[in-house]
Amino acid sequence: MKTLADLLLLGDPRLYETCAPVLEAELPLVAGWVADLHAVMEDIRATYSFGRGIAAPQLGIMKRLVYLNVDRPLVLINPELVEMSAATFELWDDCMSFPNLLVRVRRHQQVTVRYRDANWQPQTWQVEDASLAELLQHECDHLDGVLCTMRALDPQAFRWRPTPSGA
């Protein structure tokens, strides 16, 4: 089982690689990968008090696989953003691979994503919630070797995450 120590950190060259698609023949491996993603996300939540999604390459699994856990666990195999709204918004983005750094980026308010579920069934999800749309864009970027640091609005678009009082 992977742990927080297995999380790739900013600067690791694997974070900048494009991931290979998950093949149907690899479906038996997905449950183990998802268990690792879930375990590390729980470690991040316990340590840094954030974390709604994680992409497989953040653990060195160079496959197009995303695990979300916002209100329930969701596995997205080979996700593809097929539509993005013209409307955008700015936010301070965070990332498990650099947990104390926030980056100001611009994201689309709505997206449509196509993916396969854990049973290899094709799915289409139209995401109208800007917070979830942003999360999907962030995680899908990881699959293409793109970090939010590369989407920074300008050279001043970085700041340290405020520490909780008493920490």
Side-chain angles (χ1 to χ4, degrees):
M1 180 70 60
K2 294 199 182 256
T3 69
L4 194 54
D6 296 300
L7 185 68
L8 302 187
L9 298 177
L10 184 63
D12 190 301
R14 292 170 289 180
L15 289 173
Y16 305 99
E17 294 178 15
T18 300
C19 294
V22 176
L23 304 175
E24 187 173 7
E26 294 172 310
L27 194 57
L29 301 173
V30 169
W33 292 336
V34 168
D36 285 339
L37 293 167
H38 175 79
V40 172
M41 186 184 329
E42 289 302 310
D43 285 349
I44 285 283
R45 286 176 170 179
T47 304
Y48 296 99
S49 301
F50 81 96
R52 302 176 298 153
I54 186 171
Q58 291 179 272
L59 293 183
I61 303 163
M62 304 313 291
K63 290 293 185 172
R64 299 188 78 79
L65 176 68
V66 168
Y67 174 72
L68 304 180
N69 195 339
V70 178
D71 55 355
R72 63 183 174 84
L74 180 64
V75 175
L76 292 88
I77 300 171
N78 299 330
E80 178 186 4
L81 296 173
V82 294
E83 291 180 38
M84 295 185 276
S85 66
T88 61
F89 69 106
E90 292 180 12
L91 74 146
W92 286 103
D93 202 357
D94 56 18
C95 182
M96 294 178 186
S97 291
F98 35 95
N100 292 314
L101 182 66
L102 299 172
V103 182
R104 191 81 176 163
V105 300
R106 179 178 305 283
R107 297 285 190 187
H108 297 275
Q109 286 186 353
Q110 300 173 336
V111 298
T112 301
V113 61
R114 287 192 192 129
Y115 64 97
R116 293 200 176 261
D117 65 19
N119 297 313
W120 202 252
Q121 296 304 304
Q123 304 290 331
T124 301
W125 182 16
Q126 293 181 324
V127 182
E128 296 183 3
D129 176 88
S131 178
L132 285 176
E134 179 278 321
L135 177 62
L136 280 166
Q137 291 166 78
H138 178 105
E139 300 306 338
C140 286
D141 271 355
H142 272 297
L143 305 180
D144 293 324
V146 176
L147 303 180
C148 63
T149 53
M150 299 157 77
R151 295 202 182 275
L153 291 177
D154 59 50
Q156 289 79 40
F158 300 89
R159 73 174 189 189
W160 289 115
R161 178 184 301 278
T163 56
S165 58

